[in-house]
């Protein structure tokens, strides 16, 4: 009966048709007796949380920072127009559910539910609608805008796409409403940990506005300063709230069980998976997928991006020496490198033995690898969708792009806080000038390493309009120390480039078409059902 209840609720919230832009089927399933209590509103809102993203360890394979045991068709430019696209369909499923709550939750006031409680659930729904539209726009550009439950003859079912600036107006309006009605994390308490807070709304606003502002700036696509001002101001609100701070228990431990819960003030927005076999929300098998499945492996490009401890890149630092062994690459480097990429001595498997047999690049990913979870093939480690570290990075980047520069004081309150936990020398304007460094590139570097393999890099390359330069490169891995690798259990026969680096995919197998690949193709099923839905350029 509980299953049937939630199945009915899902149909009530999302509709039952095959078209992504669909109506809620009031005539098929009456919800006249629903929307009468806080429990009803809570159940409806809980459904929205099932659309939160899962751990994004696969996403960096779309960039050149990660590589699986097989090529990625987004990264290498070989994908074709799909018949169906879950990213598109699920976003509209979420939008439909959110619109339904926004329209119908106020009915509960007539049944005696406090209007403030109703507004809280409407605010959650408006947050999720904004979240869905942000994720649609960053993939597809202009999209169909729907803000109400649709009737069977609604014009939106065959509508043309709405300009992304208008969609962003809706995103911002929804986020502003949500921020005004939701609480700060400290007021929500442990029992509500994982629900959307006011600071989570501001953090998403900073992310979405930074994306659109830099997209417009570097693609010459329109007004950008207003978006970047909004990104900066939203990040500043999170910083000034005093609700969040960087985790002090070690960067590696951020991705282990000890960093879960309200005690970790770095977590701003979290997808919860549960605690153990007796307290399950859901679970995943990411540790085993990483180690045994080789689903993501760091590349040479990512490893080389980490600074030396003196704050200089490897091509400028006197501390850097050409590695003569696999572990040598970690010497005198940003501490976060060894806490992100496996090395000999790490607890790597059930036996504790370090091997590289599953890695297509010779490097192995370390975040979210939990030794005790591997034997049972399930893990409950939460996914921090937004960390306070990202908020600091958003602020620094928005400030730099707005002012064509950033003060040392702002570097100290953002970038240098992150460098401190990597035990790396601070970045200052004088330091950059003295060593021929570009501040913009150093801010971007800090974003790359702090958020490495967390699903950001591909989207950053798109918004900066650098994907056309970065993605066609050959994929390179570690220098192949043959005897050492064989002793560590390396069972592959790797392709090597002329400099003896592992090369799982050559440059002549990779392409990026600027006139096509900055936007994703719309699925054919959607185009076939809507004659006014025009495909993105050059995907025909």
């Amino acid at each position: 009966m509980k299953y049937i209840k939630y199945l009915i609720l899902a149909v009530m919230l999302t509709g039952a048709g095959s078209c992504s832009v669909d109506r809620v089927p009031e005539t098929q399933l009456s919800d006249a007796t629903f929307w009468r209590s806080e429990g009803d509103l809570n159940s409806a809102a809980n459904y929205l949380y099932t659309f939160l993203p899962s751990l994004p360890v696969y996403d960096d394979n779309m960039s050149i920072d990660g590589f699986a045991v097989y090529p990625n068709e987004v990264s290498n430019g070989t994908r074709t127009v799909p018949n169906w696209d879950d990213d598109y369909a699920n976003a509209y499923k979420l939008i439909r559910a959110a619109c339904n709550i926004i329209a119908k939750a106020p009915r509960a006031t007539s049944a005696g539910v406090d209007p403030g409680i109703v507004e809280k659930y409407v605010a959650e729904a408006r947050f999720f609608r904004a979240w869905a539209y942000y994720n649609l726009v960053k993939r597809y550009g202009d999209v169909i805008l729907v803000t109400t439950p649709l009737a069977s003859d609604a014009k939106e079912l065959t509508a043309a796409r709405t300009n992304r600036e208008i969609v962003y107006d809706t995103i911002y309006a929804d986020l502003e409403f949500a921020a005004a009605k939701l609480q700060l994390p400290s007021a929500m308490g442990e029992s509500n940990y994982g629900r959307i807070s006011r600071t989570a709304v501001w953090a998403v606003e900073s992310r979405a506005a930074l994306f659109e502002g830099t997209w417009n700036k570097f693609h010459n696509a329109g007004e950008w300063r207003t978006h970047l001002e909004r990104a900066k101001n939203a990040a500043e609100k999170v910083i000034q709230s005093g609700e969040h701070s960087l985790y002090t228990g070690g960067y590696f431990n951020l991705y282990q069980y000890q960093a879960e819960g309200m005690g970790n003030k770095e977590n701003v927005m979290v997808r919860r998976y549960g605690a153990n076999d007796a307290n399950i929300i859901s679970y995943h098998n990411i540790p085993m997928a990483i180690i045994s499945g080789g689903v993501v492996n760091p590349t040479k490009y990512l490893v080389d991006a980490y600074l030396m401890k003196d704050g200089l890149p490897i091509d400028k630092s006197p501390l850097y020496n050409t590695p003569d062994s696999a572990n040598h690459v970690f010497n005198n480097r940003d501490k976060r490198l060894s806490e992100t990429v496996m090395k000999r001595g790490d607890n790597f498997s059930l036996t504790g033995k370090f091997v590289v047999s599953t890695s297509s690049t010779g490097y192995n990913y370390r975040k979210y690898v939990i030794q005790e979870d591997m034997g049972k093939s399930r893990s409950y480690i939460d996914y921090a969708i937004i960390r306070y570290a990202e908020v600091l990075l958003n602020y620094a980047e928005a400030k730099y792009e707005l002012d064509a520069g950033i003060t040392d004081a702002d570097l100290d309150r953002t970038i240098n806080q992150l460098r401190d936990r990597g035990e790396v020398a601070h970045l200052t304007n004088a330091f950059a000038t003295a060593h021929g460094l570009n501040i913009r590139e150093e801010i971007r570097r800090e974003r790359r390493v702090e958020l490495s393999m967390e699903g950001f890099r591909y989207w950053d390359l798109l918004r900066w309009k650098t994907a056309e330069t970065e993605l066609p490169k050959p994929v390179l891995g570690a220098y192949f120390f043959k005897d050492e690798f064989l002793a560590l259990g390396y069972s592959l026969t790797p392709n090597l480039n002329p400099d003896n680096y592992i090369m799982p995919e050559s440059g002549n197998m990779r392409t990026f078409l600027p006139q096509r690949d900055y936007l994703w193709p719309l699925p054919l099923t959607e185009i076939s059902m809507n004659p006014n839905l025009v495909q993105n350029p050059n995907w025909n």
Side-chain angles (χ1 to χ4, degrees):
M1 290 301 297
K2 182 178 180 182
Y3 172 80
I4 293 172
K5 174 184 175 182
Y6 283 105
L7 177 61
I8 291 173
L9 175 63
V11 174
M12 288 166 56
L13 289 170
T14 67
S18 61
C19 181
S20 293
V21 182
D22 208 342
R23 73 182 192 93
V24 176
E26 295 271 12
T27 57
Q28 297 177 33
L29 178 65
S30 173
D31 59 359
T33 59
F34 201 71
W35 315 108
R36 298 180 60 85
S37 68
E38 183 178 356
D40 289 346
L41 302 182
N42 186 66
S43 295
N46 285 349
Y47 177 72
L48 306 178
Y49 284 84
T50 66
F51 289 89
L52 286 175
S54 56
L55 274 77
V57 295
Y58 311 97
D59 290 4
D60 275 86
N61 293 332
M62 296 191 299
S63 75
I64 202 167
D65 283 5
F67 196 82
V69 294
Y70 46 81
N72 181 281
E73 63 177 8
V74 175
S75 177
N76 67 16
T78 60
R79 61 179 163 164
T80 57
V81 179
N83 287 317
W84 180 262
D85 185 341
D86 284 337
D87 290 313
Y88 190 92
N90 288 337
Y92 275 108
K93 194 179 294 184
L94 174 56
I95 289 165
R96 292 199 305 274
C99 287
N100 206 35
I101 293 172
I102 294 164
K104 296 174 182 174
R107 296 180 187 178
T109 57
S110 62
V113 179
D114 184 272
I117 292 174
V118 173
E119 283 188 329
K120 180 187 74 171
Y121 289 109
V122 171
E124 286 192 0
R126 291 190 67 168
F127 167 84
F128 277 100
R129 185 169 68 181
W131 174 260
Y133 273 121
Y134 158 65
N135 284 292
L136 281 169
V137 170
K138 79 176 186 180
R139 282 176 169 81
Y140 310 103
D142 300 345
V143 293
I144 298 173
L145 181 62
V146 179
T147 58
T148 60
L150 300 181
S152 59
D153 59 350
K155 64 181 184 302
E156 287 89 345
L157 292 174
T158 55
R161 298 159 72 177
T162 303
N163 183 279
R164 62 191 293 161
E165 284 296 318
I166 297 173
V167 178
Y168 254 85
D169 288 343
T170 298
I171 291 171
Y172 291 148
D174 281 347
L175 293 176
E176 288 170 4
F177 181 93
K181 303 300 180 182
L182 296 175
Q183 293 179 305
L184 293 170
S186 57
M188 294 171 64
E190 186 71 40
S191 63
N192 287 308
Y193 178 70
R195 297 196 82 89
I196 302 303
S197 68
R198 185 176 299 169
T199 55
V201 177
W202 288 332
V204 167
E205 183 179 4
S206 78
R207 178 188 288 189
L210 181 68
F211 185 93
E212 194 67 2
T214 50
W215 176 280
N216 284 354
K217 182 175 184 177
F218 296 111
H219 289 258
N220 295 316
E223 202 284 324
W224 53 270
R225 296 194 66 88
T226 301
H227 294 288
L228 291 182
E229 285 285 356
R230 186 179 283 271
K232 182 194 71 173
N233 293 339
E236 181 72 46
K237 289 176 185 177
V238 180
I239 295 168
Q240 293 296 329
S241 73
E243 294 280 327
H244 299 284
S245 57
L246 295 179
Y247 182 67
T248 59
Y251 183 75
F252 172 73
N253 290 332
L254 265 172
Y255 311 95
Q256 302 289 300
Y257 285 116
Q258 52 262 55
E260 291 196 334
M262 288 191 69
N264 179 3
K265 299 300 183 184
E266 184 162 346
N267 289 342
V268 179
M269 179 177 166
V270 177
R271 174 167 184 158
R272 300 188 66 186
Y273 280 93
N276 50 49
D277 291 342
N279 297 282
I280 299 174
I281 297 174
S282 60
Y283 67 88
H284 57 84
N285 193 23
I286 291 300
M288 187 64 78
I290 291 172
I291 299 307
S292 296
V295 297
V296 61
N297 304 284
T299 67
K300 181 180 187 295
Y301 301 105
L302 175 61
V303 171
D304 286 355
Y306 287 81
L307 295 168
M308 305 301 292
K309 287 191 176 295
D310 60 6
L312 294 174
I314 61 174
D315 60 347
K316 289 180 177 287
S317 174
L319 297 178
Y320 182 76
N321 295 304
T322 302
D324 56 13
S325 67
N327 265 22
H328 190 169
V329 74
F330 301 99
N331 290 357
N332 295 314
R333 300 293 287 280
D334 184 330
K335 188 179 178 182
R336 289 168 294 181
L337 174 59
S338 64
E339 294 178 304
T340 300
V341 179
M342 285 280 182
K343 60 186 180 305
R344 290 197 311 275
D346 291 333
N347 289 327
F348 182 81
S349 65
L350 288 174
T351 64
K353 180 181 178 183
F354 178 87
V355 295
V356 292
S357 59
T358 58
S359 174
S360 58
T361 67
Y363 292 120
N364 289 96
Y365 184 49
R366 196 177 178 204
K367 291 179 182 178
Y368 296 110
V369 173
I370 300 172
Q371 193 175 13
E372 59 267 29
D373 285 350
M374 294 181 65
K376 58 187 179 184
S377 295
R378 63 171 57 189
S379 178
Y380 303 104
I381 186 70
D382 291 343
Y383 165 37
I385 300 168
I386 300 181
R387 296 190 284 115
Y388 184 59
E390 182 198 342
V391 175
L392 298 180
L393 290 162
N394 292 349
Y395 179 88
E397 185 179 346
K399 193 77 167 63
Y400 179 87
E401 296 301 341
L402 281 166
D403 300 342
I406 186 170
T407 65
D408 288 348
D410 277 330
L411 287 172
D412 283 343
R413 69 198 291 249
T414 57
I415 298 299
N416 289 330
Q417 283 196 55
L418 304 177
R419 288 194 173 197
D420 281 344
R421 72 172 166 197
E423 299 178 0
V424 175
H426 281 194
L427 176 65
T428 67
N429 284 279
F431 182 87
T433 300
H435 295 283
L437 302 176
N438 181 291
I439 292 286
R440 173 189 279 162
E441 293 306 313
E442 292 309 305
I443 291 172
R444 291 181 177 183
R445 179 199 303 275
E446 193 64 34
R447 183 179 181 88
R448 184 180 194 175
V449 302
E450 172 65 33
L451 304 177
S452 62
M453 314 303 277
E454 295 183 40
F456 289 88
R457 184 64 178 170
Y458 169 76
W459 303 107
D460 288 343
L461 296 179
L462 292 192
R463 64 189 179 88
W464 295 331
K465 206 176 183 298
T466 56
E468 60 203 71
T469 301
E470 297 296 320
L471 293 187
K473 294 177 180 177
V475 177
L476 299 179
Y479 187 90
F480 188 59
F481 296 100
K482 183 176 180 179
D483 292 341
E484 184 177 358
F485 273 43
L486 293 177
L488 291 171
Y490 198 74
S491 58
L492 305 177
T493 302
N495 290 321
L496 302 176
N497 79 348
D499 295 320
N500 205 49
Y501 286 95
I502 297 172
M503 185 175 67
E505 189 173 33
S506 65
N508 60 15
M509 301 296 292
R510 300 174 59 81
T511 183
F512 185 93
L513 301 179
Q515 66 275 26
R516 183 192 72 178
D517 291 331
Y518 278 107
L519 293 175
W520 285 33
L522 297 172
L524 294 175
T525 50
E526 300 298 328
I527 293 175
S528 67
M529 289 186 288
N530 181 354
N532 294 312
L533 190 60
V534 179
Q535 183 61 275
N536 274 323
N538 299 304
W539 280 108
N540 295 323

